[in-house]
Amino acid sequence: QVRLVESGGGLVQAGGSLRLSCAASGRSFSRFAMGWFRQAPGKEREFVASISTSTGDTAYKESVKGRFTISRDNAKNTVYLQMNSLKPEDTAVYYCAAAEVIADFPRKYNSWGQGTQVTVSS
């Protein structure tokens, strides 16, 4: 497994931007596909974006396409989520996670960070 620590959350007005970072330590980061998930109060955790190991293939939740961008820097053991044009419905705790292969199901991921709060005011 790999240890993950998210940062970069905060309070932003609708239309604003935030960049989340997820720093990894432990086993070789480049071997893992990485994902971002989010969970709003009273709702289930949902897939946001994922990125593969070496090819850089990405996948996104439909509602964030064109607004969010996932990227990774294997030299820095870090994955990012750039979030633009934020909406109040994007408010949630955001988690990064590591998996053996790129996936959009939480159960495919076996390492999780502690989460970072993102709040978008209207």
Side-chain angles (χ1 to χ4, degrees), residues 23-42:
S25 60
R27 292 171 59 189
S28 180
F29 172 75
S30 62
R31 294 181 53 229
F32 294 95
M34 299 298 296
W36 285 96
F37 292 79
R38 66 188 183 187
Q39 188 167 18

Side-chain angles (χ1 to χ4, degrees), residues 5-8 18-24 29 34-37 48-51 58-60 68-83 94-97:
V5 179
E6 301 96 336
S7 61
L18 283 174
R19 188 176 83 155
L20 305 183
S21 299
C22 174
F29 172 75
M34 299 298 296
W36 285 96
F37 292 79
V48 176
S50 60
I51 187 167
T58 58
Y60 295 92
F68 291 11
T69 302
I70 188 171
S71 62
R72 66 189 298 162
D73 185 338
N74 288 338
K76 294 183 178 180
N77 285 4
T78 302
V79 63
Y80 305 96
L81 185 68
Q82 177 66 44
M83 305 186 295
Y94 282 71
Y95 300 89
C96 71

Side-chain angles (χ1 to χ4, degrees), residues 31-109:
R31 294 181 53 229
F32 294 95
M34 299 298 296
W36 285 96
F37 292 79
R38 66 188 183 187
Q39 188 167 18
K43 295 187 177 181
E44 293 186 354
R45 190 168 299 190
E46 64 177 9
F47 168 77
V48 176
S50 60
I51 187 167
S52 64
T53 53
S54 58
T55 63
D57 291 341
T58 58
Y60 295 92
K61 177 181 174 62
E62 191 64 33
S63 64
V64 308
K65 285 182 179 178
R67 300 189 298 123
F68 291 11
T69 302
I70 188 171
S71 62
R72 66 189 298 162
D73 185 338
N74 288 338
K76 294 183 178 180
N77 285 4
T78 302
V79 63
Y80 305 96
L81 185 68
Q82 177 66 44
M83 305 186 295
N84 299 328
S85 301
L86 281 161
K87 303 175 180 180
E89 51 264 42
D90 295 318
T91 295
V93 177
Y94 282 71
Y95 300 89
C96 71
E100 298 294 330
V101 295
I102 189 171
D104 56 5
F105 291 98
R107 65 176 180 270
K108 294 291 188 180
Y109 291 77

